[in-house]
Amino acid sequence: MKSILSPILLLFTFLSFAQTKVLSWNIENFGKSKSEIELDYIAKKIALYDIIAIQEVVAGYGGAQTVAKLAALLNEKGTKWEYTISDPTTSSSYKTERYAFLWKTNKIKLKSKPWLEQKYSLAIDREPYFATFEINKKTITLVNFHAITQKKQPETEIKYFKFLPDEYPNLNLVFLGDFNCPEKHTVFNPLKKMGYVSVLKNQKTTLKQKCKNNICLASEFDNIFFKASSLKTLNSGVIKFYEDFDSLQNARRVSDHIPIWFEFSLN
């Protein structure tokens, strides 16, 4: 029996390390306004994932400190986590913010210093934050992004993303975050023609002010785009965290967006 179980356990261990779960979450006003209870709740919701991408980290005092607190809470749960926080976005005339990544060190390595992309910073209010990670000796570069609001026409920013794969031909780019724009919008067509696909389709990710007829989600804004030839998607979804609360008002104290995620193995 022992000789049978050992290979099975080895295979299970190998598969668990070959598969990676990435979660992206626009956590509204992520900074000192989040209470200890809310932070602990967020930590519990994301602890099962391997890499976390956060949008809307407060640029001023409290934002970076709150990311550090979240990492400390995750470390208390038995797995070692590290994190990186961007500088405040520089080109914004609208609303400057930071981005953050957190990752489990037993599975993921940060390959090089992350950066805010400056190439199209005159055209993109909150320039995306790039970070390259090594997973099982293969690499992936996550492009963390928070677009301007729908009223300000986010497609005027997203249209520049089609140039980024050629700008970085040696990087396996995955675009993720809050695009304030549904994946069916024609602005994503150039990426799709390059072989990029979206993790979510027809999936609303923002909270309404109030549920109506048990419908609590409003808009298809958050998504993940990856090149189909570069990785294999094993699973994906959203976390309807608001179902843990007695009202949407209380849920919205955590965020007005729900987390999105996907599980993959690199080709």
Side-chain angles (χ1 to χ4, degrees), residues 25-31 53-60 62-68 84-89 95-102 126 144 146:
W25 197 354
N26 177 337
I27 308 180
E28 185 182 20
N29 196 30
F30 191 70
I54 299 176
Q55 303 89 46
E56 212 170 305
V57 177
V58 172
Q65 292 82 353
T66 305
V67 174
T84 180
I85 308 165
S86 75
D87 291 331
T89 51
K95 187 185 176 187
T96 185
E97 294 172 3
R98 297 179 190 262
Y99 298 98
F101 287 109
L102 303 97
R126 291 177 290 231
N144 200 350
H146 185 195

Side-chain angles (χ1 to χ4, degrees), residues 135-149:
I135 306 165
N136 297 320
K137 298 183 180 178
K138 298 174 183 177
T139 59
I140 188 169
T141 301
L142 300 184
V143 182
N144 200 350
F145 182 58
H146 185 195
I148 51 177
T149 62

